[in-house]
Amino acid sequence: MTVYLLRRLLQALLVMLAMSLIVFVGVYAIGDPVEILISPDADQMERERAIKALGLDLPLWQQYLTFLFRAVQGDLGRSFVFNEPALQLILQKMPATLELAVGATFMAVLIGLPLGLYAGLKPDSAGSKAIMAGSILGFSLPTFWVGLMLIMVFAVQLGWLPSTGRGETAQFLGLRWSFLTRDGIAHLIMPAVNLSLFKISLVVRLTRSGVRETMLMDYVKFARAKGLSPRRVTYVHVFKNILIPVVTVVGLELGSTIAFSVVTESIFAWPGMGKLIIDSINVLDRPVIVAYLMIIVMMFIVINLAVDLLYSTLDPRVRLEGKS
Amino acid sequence: MSDITADTVPVVALVVKDETPFRRFVSEFFASKIATSGLIVFTIIAVLAILAPWITPQNPYDLAQLDIMDGRLEPGSVGGSGMTHWLGTDDQGRDMLSGIIYGLRISLTVGIGSAFIASLVGASLGLLAAYGGGRTDSLIMRLVDLQLSFPTILAALMILAFLGKGVGNVVIALVIVEWAYYARTVRGSALVERRREYIEAAQCLALPTRRILFRHLLPNCLPPLIVVGTIQVARAIALEATLSFLGLGVPITEPSLGLLIANGYEYMLSGKYWISFYPGIALLVTIVSINLMGDHLRDVLNPRLKK
Amino acid sequence: MSVATLEVRNLQTHFFTRAGVVKAVDGVSFTVGRGKVLGLVGESGSGKTVTGFSIIGLVDEPGRVVGGEILFHGQNLARLSEEEMRQLRGNRIAMIFQDPMMTLNPVLRIDTQMIETVLAHTKVSHEEARQRCRDTLGMVGIPSPEERLKSYPHQFSGGMRQRVAIAIALLHRPELIIADEPTTALDVTIQGQILAEVQKLAINTGTSLIWITHDLSVVAGLADDIAVMYAGRVVEDGPVSEVLDKPLHPYTHGLIGSVPSRNKRGEPLRQIPGMTPSLLKLPPGCAFRSRCDRATAECAAPIELMELTLGRHARCIHPHMEAVAA
Ligand SMILES: Nc1ncnc2c1ncn2[C@@H]1O[C@H](COP(=O)(O)OP(=O)(O)OP(=O)(O)O)[C@@H](O)[C@H]1O
Ligand code: SF4
Ligand SMILES: [Mg+2]
């Protein structure tokens, strides 16, 4: 197990290194680093000084090492706009995004799993056909447009839900969260629904095809031959088997959910990393963009590792292989 | 039924000659009513987009035809020039229906164009990986893995952040985020096909590599490639719309559906829904029609669901 | 006169597929007495498994039992409700499947899969149920059952898994066990061990067995009676020694001739020419007609299973009577 973990960490390190190289090449080699890293408002003197300070007059490989060295120390540059360390800026916004993404993921599982189960168990019923049609719609609906329509219906016309911001937050584990207050939850609902729509479809389809394939397995028939009740067959024998792929995929999708929150956050003015990055791109606050990229990659690695561990605790077959 | 449909698609049939898997693929496609209706709807949309300059009531980019006094008219109202705006007008008095049809043109061009280029790039690299094997293979596949592990929207955002706006840049970004899907698919099926006898036979005849690749391997990788291509066109259109909505895609002079929707955003809060609503519906219908085809195509090709 | 454990009369199970009606089982009759072993043989696709599933009421869509009677202690199972059937299954009638690698759920521990079977039919404490599972595992020859209970299926070999499946079938000391080729997937030595144990159990507990197999040598050593299936029908049945020694039906005759061990050395193996007919469009009359060396024009008319000598039936109008007469 330790060997496995070590190997995974080494892999993660390599991926980070590769990513840093890509980002470096993107910023320093393709773009003009002076333009990217130094505020456009700076005057000539400031520029010269900054070029020296950033070591932009050094050979490229040396620059890369410096970049890497600083990155390891947590220095990913300063935002031009906020004049704050980029890393700090992003970390401040991270809880809001995580809250949204995790909320959306839970919603996807809570809604998608029962629907998919039903569609898989009764594939020919009218309800299942409606669910499947709905899931195609869920895949096809552009997230941003759905967001707008949600605002139009529930905020503008019905006035039930607030359309922007996080609402009231409460302190937990030293961070501020919306889901702990009524007002916060009211603010969270629409963005979370919006972000989860695509994932619900994904979970529905995954569950449905999992159920259909599992139902054909001999062990399900054997379970019935043992005289188990249909409920036990479905909720223990079938369910436990499809849970593994569903949990794995949903976990892996958390990364892409965080990425897609860029869109949702912009629409609902949800003050998270996604909103920050779009704003930063629009004003070309490039240190923030670079820092965001590095952090996202890191999050991905952590998520993948966590999902792998989760998978191996869920599936006994993998668990054993890990030990031996 | 199957014979008729296979014969009514002479172009496709010509490319692969008498390859039965492909014929079966085509006839199974038309066996599904849903997939066929998807194709019909999509064809209508595509024809509308192509014919835009001749069928729209107004040229939405000709500023001379616009009257700011007609701005934000409700659907069905009659403008100053006596024209009925069935879907209303936007803030500059542009007829929404015309705007949408022109917008479709841009969305489809970008979506299909990028998918086409990406499929060329991806298929070539995939074939190269399958056929080259060894180090070429693992290098290309590492790149594919890297690309696929990164959410497309983010990758596209980053590329545009560095390249800047513009139709060309959007296409470049879409190609970069999409090629890997084609490469993986083509490599997968090419590896299977490669082992089949006819490749061996072709090799024995000492045919040039290029000929083996394009005359023998590619036609047999085509069905899975078409499935991926169909789904990717839908994804590309959605992604382009999203990027444009975020203000990073096409410029204001060439508004795609995504940008039209973005334009209506601020007016929606005051209840003027149509500026965002109808372009969204157009986008939705386009994407759904493509997905219906892709969805069925995937089922046709999935041997596990076959009985 | 006591009632037989199971009597199947003219069972018909059809699959209503898109391509047409597949008459997988179309006229199967046999009787299994208390504590007796019936060997159900026939080539692949002849409907043996479907017959087994029909008895325990687990025919999958698009299949349905469309005719006949399944009398279990005189009670027609085809008439029971799904819930009444469920109470019988795994309790009074158990089934063992063909492929031991596929019959146990890979993500559930053995104890879960066994205890749930106990609890599905009896109200006992969890601990009592566990005790019963432990005992039964010991009975089928699994060493250190307590530890094994905590394992997952993939930690077992194929033979061990089949023993677990057999143990599950035995948990409620059923009156009837349907064993669908339970040893075909195993290697020969393990096959032998399992056969011996099952036979012992049947004798000790008075359980009746339907042993489905391709393998005539297994039937010869194990079964009391035999029923031979062809294209969804029983074409011959009777006491195992008589049928194997003096087959009446030309198909049985051919089948026995094609078993290597039954042939004289040096003599070429006989083979039944031709292929099994498609069950989709089976013509009326004898289904074996196209492959039979005794076929005549009369064979095209529908033929019933007839009692030819005492306790022996065959579905043929030109049976090998000379063997019996001699
Ligand atoms: N779900 C189904 N749909 C359609 N036909 C089926 C289905 N299940 C079984 N059949 C048909 O029933 C026939 C009998 O199948 P069955 O499994 O009983 O054969 P078998 O005698 O057990 O063969 P084997 O020795 O290979 O196990 C087959 O020919 C098959 O075509
Ligand atoms: S009935 Fe006729 S065809 Fe059928 S087995 Fe007997 S002799 Fe052969
Ligand atoms: Mg069978």
Side-chain angles (χ1 to χ4, degrees):
Chain A
M1 199 64 198
T2 5
V3 179
Y4 171 75
L5 264 180
L6 274 177
R7 213 176 54 212
R8 286 300 306 255
L9 277 176
L10 198 71
Q11 269 176 14
L13 224 60
L14 281 176
V15 174
M16 283 297 287
L17 215 60
M19 249 350 257
S20 73
L21 196 62
I22 292 177
V23 172
F24 176 81
V25 170
V27 176
Y28 289 76
I30 297 175
D32 178 2
V34 177
E35 191 186 304
I36 290 172
L37 295 174
I38 301 169
S39 166
D41 306 331
D43 63 28
Q44 195 57 34
M45 277 283 284
E46 272 179 278
R47 275 174 171 265
E48 302 273 297
R49 201 152 5 99
I51 288 177
K52 266 260 152 36
L54 290 169
L56 293 180
D57 45 354
L58 297 173
L60 219 54
W61 64 269
Q62 231 168 349
Q63 286 185 34
Y64 175 62
L65 286 184
T66 323
F67 169 82
L68 211 58
F69 187 66
R70 282 166 184 262
V72 168
Q73 290 175 319
D75 178 6
L76 291 168
R78 289 180 86 82
S79 158
F80 309 143
V81 178
F82 301 92
N83 199 23
E84 258 183 75
L87 188 66
Q88 191 186 322
L89 203 59
I90 290 169
L91 290 182
Q92 278 167 6
K93 306 276 187 184
M94 201 158 41
T97 297
L98 283 181
E99 181 173 26
L100 180 60
V102 170
T105 302
F106 268 110
M107 208 171 275
V109 174
L110 288 182
I111 298 173
L113 212 53
L115 290 181
L117 209 56
Y118 177 81
L121 290 172
K122 299 205 161 70
D124 295 320
S125 71
S128 302
K129 293 202 170 123
I131 291 171
M132 291 323 287
S135 86
I136 290 203
L137 212 60
F139 270 128
S140 309
L141 284 167
T143 309
F144 68 95
W145 185 70
V146 175
L148 293 187
M149 294 303 120
L150 284 175
I151 290 181
M152 194 182 81
V153 175
F154 293 101
V156 178
Q157 298 196 327
L158 297 173
W160 289 354
L161 293 167
S163 66
T164 55
R166 272 186 97 179
E168 209 176 299
T169 56
Q171 190 96 9
F172 180 61
L173 294 176
L175 295 167
R176 305 212 65 92
W177 304 95
S178 292
F179 75 96
L180 295 173
T181 69
R182 264 186 85 91
D183 183 53
I185 290 180
H187 280 81
L188 182 58
I189 289 178
M190 274 206 292
V193 166
N194 184 218
L195 192 54
S196 68
L197 218 57
F198 188 87
K199 307 293 167 195
I200 293 175
S201 303
L202 188 72
V203 173
V204 164
R205 303 194 137 222
L206 214 58
T207 309
R208 172 178 171 268
S209 63
V211 169
R212 293 222 314 180
E213 275 173 28
T214 310
M215 288 302 280
L216 298 176
M217 303 303 278
D218 263 6
Y219 58 74
V220 170
K221 200 157 193 181
F222 189 63
R224 294 168 68 203
K226 293 194 298 190
L228 303 184
S229 66
R231 284 187 47 187
R232 180 150 182 111
V233 173
T234 307
Y235 293 107
V236 177
H237 284 260
V238 176
F239 195 69
K240 185 110 200 269
N241 269 283
I242 55 161
L243 210 56
I244 295 169
V246 169
V247 166
T248 312
V249 171
V250 166
L252 288 176
E253 282 285 313
L254 187 62
S256 100
T257 311
I258 290 172
F260 255 95
S261 68
V262 166
V263 181
T264 302
E265 286 178 17
S266 315
I267 296 168
F268 294 93
W270 185 264
M273 296 159 67
K275 175 112 177 53
L276 175 70
I277 188 68
I278 290 294
D279 292 345
S280 302
I281 290 175
N282 277 327
V283 297
L284 289 180
D285 193 352
R286 281 170 167 152
V288 177
I289 302 177
V290 170
Y292 176 83
L293 261 181
M294 296 310 292
I295 286 181
I296 281 280
V297 172
M298 192 120 87
M299 285 173 88
F300 270 42
I301 290 170
V302 171
I303 289 170
N304 281 347
L305 190 60
V307 170
D308 269 8
L309 293 179
L310 190 65
Y311 177 65
S312 64
T313 54
L314 274 179
D315 193 329
R317 287 161 292 191
V318 181
R319 207 183 304 161
L320 190 82
E321 277 158 30
K323 272 185 207 149
S324 62
Chain B
M1 165 77 197
S2 60
D3 286 335
I4 302 166
T5 46
D7 289 337
T8 48
V9 193
V11 185
V12 189
L14 226 160
V15 175
V16 283
K17 287 181 202 131
D18 294 310
E19 234 86 55
T20 44
F22 195 87
R23 273 177 167 241
R24 204 181 320 130
F25 182 71
V26 172
S27 69
E28 277 186 42
F29 176 86
F30 286 99
S32 161
K33 280 195 201 104
I34 293 181
T36 313
S37 48
L39 182 65
I40 293 172
V41 171
F42 180 74
T43 312
I44 294 173
I45 290 173
V47 169
L48 281 181
I50 293 169
L51 299 181
W54 296 280
I55 57 171
T56 54
Q58 185 190 65
N59 179 354
Y61 306 131
D62 183 1
L63 293 178
Q65 289 189 26
L66 301 186
D67 183 354
I68 199 88
M69 297 300 288
D70 286 344
R72 280 168 268 151
L73 288 180
E74 288 206 18
S77 31
V78 179
S81 58
M83 185 172 111
T84 311
H85 299 289
W86 294 109
L87 300 182
T89 61
D90 71 0
D91 52 330
Q92 298 180 39
R94 184 177 287 136
D95 177 48
M96 284 312 294
L97 182 63
S98 312
I100 288 171
I101 295 176
Y102 270 85
L104 269 175
R105 216 169 142 87
I106 294 171
S107 291
L108 284 182
T109 312
V110 172
I112 296 176
S114 66
F116 182 71
I117 300 173
S119 73
L120 285 187
V121 175
S124 314
L125 286 173
L127 281 180
L128 192 67
Y131 206 75
R135 237 187 243 166
T136 325
D137 187 26
S138 59
L139 179 72
I140 294 175
M141 289 324 284
R142 281 297 81 73
L143 269 177
V144 167
D145 287 343
L146 190 71
Q147 183 63 62
L148 292 184
S149 67
F150 210 66
T152 46
I153 175 107
L154 264 193
L157 269 183
M158 291 305 148
I159 294 164
L160 286 174
F162 291 115
L163 293 182
K165 286 188 200 187
V167 173
N169 286 347
V170 171
V171 172
I172 292 176
L174 290 178
V175 169
I176 293 178
V177 300
E178 277 183 353
W179 70 273
Y181 292 93
Y182 298 96
R184 188 179 57 178
T185 308
V186 168
R187 174 180 175 270
S189 37
L191 278 183
V192 176
E193 297 298 336
R194 207 169 80 104
R195 288 192 207 102
R196 302 235 169 112
E197 304 148 282
Y198 63 89
I199 294 297
E200 273 169 41
Q203 271 170 342
C204 287
L205 293 174
L207 296 175
T209 310
R210 195 158 35 90
R211 203 181 141 89
I212 296 177
L213 281 179
F214 287 98
R215 292 295 295 277
H216 297 263
L217 267 169
L218 197 54
N220 286 281
C221 303
L222 220 47
L225 196 61
I226 291 173
V227 174
V228 175
T230 315
I231 294 165
Q232 289 302 321
V233 166
R235 289 183 51 149
I237 291 174
L239 193 55
E240 181 277 325
T242 306
L243 292 169
S244 299
F245 175 78
L246 291 173
L248 294 166
V250 297
I252 195 84
T253 48
E254 291 166 282
S256 67
L257 293 173
L259 201 58
L260 289 178
I261 296 171
N263 284 343
Y265 184 24
E266 49 184 308
Y267 303 106
M268 210 188 55
L269 293 177
S270 53
K272 299 191 171 39
Y273 68 93
W274 60 89
I275 310 181
S276 280
F277 181 74
Y278 291 116
I281 293 290
L283 187 60
L284 181 63
V285 171
T286 310
I287 296 175
V288 168
S289 69
I290 301 174
N291 276 344
L292 285 179
M293 292 188 274
D295 210 51
H296 178 69
L297 285 172
R298 190 167 35 191
D299 282 353
V300 166
L301 278 186
N302 185 354
R304 276 203 291 178
L305 286 178
K306 254 184 208 160
K307 275 250 165 140
Chain C
M1 196 192 115
S2 74
V3 198
T5 301
L6 182 78
E7 191 177 347
V8 175
R9 284 193 199 146
N10 198 27
L11 177 68
Q12 289 172 304
T13 305
H14 297 177
F15 288 89
F16 299 88
T17 66
R18 263 192 216 150
V21 180
V22 177
K23 297 181 176 172
V25 171
D26 196 31
V28 164
S29 308
F30 54 74
T31 305
V32 195
R34 186 173 183 279
K36 296 283 190 219
V37 179
L38 172 80
L40 190 59
V41 299
E43 59 195 5
S44 197
S46 56
K48 307 183 294 291
T49 301
V50 174
T51 303
F53 284 137
S54 304
I55 295 169
I56 59 167
L58 284 184
V59 179
D60 282 325
E61 285 289 307
R64 249 192 354 255
V65 174
V66 293
E69 292 176 315
I70 305 162
L71 301 171
F72 181 61
H73 294 297
Q75 184 183 28
N76 190 358
L77 300 186
R79 292 263 176 75
L80 291 189
S81 71
E82 174 52 32
E83 175 56 22
E84 288 167 318
M85 254 339 266
R86 185 195 68 70
Q87 286 170 5
L88 279 182
R89 278 200 292 264
N91 188 11
R92 297 175 64 198
I93 306 178
M95 187 155 174
I96 304 166
F97 288 15
Q98 186 160 2
D99 187 353
M101 304 310 270
M102 303 299 293
T103 44
L104 297 174
N105 193 323
V107 300
L108 297 176
R109 286 200 330 210
I110 301 297
D111 53 1
T112 315
Q113 304 193 44
M114 291 190 78
I115 291 171
E116 66 181 2
T117 316
V118 176
L119 297 179
H121 301 292
T122 36
K123 283 202 169 66
V124 291
S125 74
H126 204 271
E127 197 34 57
E128 277 173 83
R130 192 180 190 87
Q131 182 60 45
R132 190 180 316 172
C133 298
R134 210 176 297 144
D135 295 345
T136 320
L137 278 185
M139 211 159 87
V140 296
I142 288 185
S144 50
E146 179 52 43
E147 272 166 51
R148 294 317 233 156
L149 271 178
K150 292 191 198 110
S151 320
Y152 283 93
H154 68 269
Q155 293 163 297
F156 284 60
S157 68
M160 280 301 201
R161 286 193 211 188
Q162 198 59 299
R163 278 166 205 261
V164 173
I166 292 172
I168 290 177
L170 291 174
L171 277 173
H172 292 281
R173 304 193 167 260
E175 291 137 72
L176 174 67
I177 297 178
I178 302 165
D180 187 0
E181 309 195 44
T183 55
T184 349
L186 307 176
D187 63 57
V188 184
T189 43
I190 294 172
Q191 234 183 69
Q193 287 172 14
I194 288 186
L195 279 181
E197 269 158 33
V198 168
Q199 195 164 29
K200 203 170 69 197
L201 288 167
I203 292 167
N204 292 345
T205 58
T207 300
S208 309
L209 260 177
I210 296 177
W211 195 276
I212 297 175
T213 182
H214 285 111
D215 192 342
L216 285 174
S217 61
V218 167
V219 173
L222 182 74
D224 301 299
D225 298 296
I226 183 171
V228 181
M229 286 189 66
Y230 185 80
R233 294 179 186 141
V234 169
V235 293
E236 172 158 16
D237 69 9
V240 74
S241 51
E242 289 185 38
V243 174
L244 292 187
D245 279 347
K246 296 163 187 151
L248 294 176
H249 195 280
Y251 173 66
T252 321
H253 201 82
L255 206 59
I256 291 165
S258 60
V259 175
S261 62
R262 292 201 148 248
N263 250 46
K264 295 203 181 72
R265 279 187 73 104
E267 225 175 80
L269 273 182
R270 270 178 292 161
Q271 272 198 326
I272 308 175
M275 293 217 317
T276 323
S278 157
L279 298 177
L280 255 182
K281 36 183 190 288
L282 215 51
C286 179
F288 190 55
R289 205 161 74 236
S290 59
R291 302 167 72 183
C292 181
D293 52 10
R294 298 188 156 210
T296 59
E298 289 86 65
C299 301
I303 295 160
E304 293 301 314
L305 197 61
M306 297 169 278
E307 180 154 24
L308 296 176
T309 64
L310 191 66
R312 295 196 57 184
H313 304 80
R315 199 187 280 271
C316 175
I317 46 176
H318 310 297
H320 287 261
M321 288 305 281
E322 63 280 2
V324 192

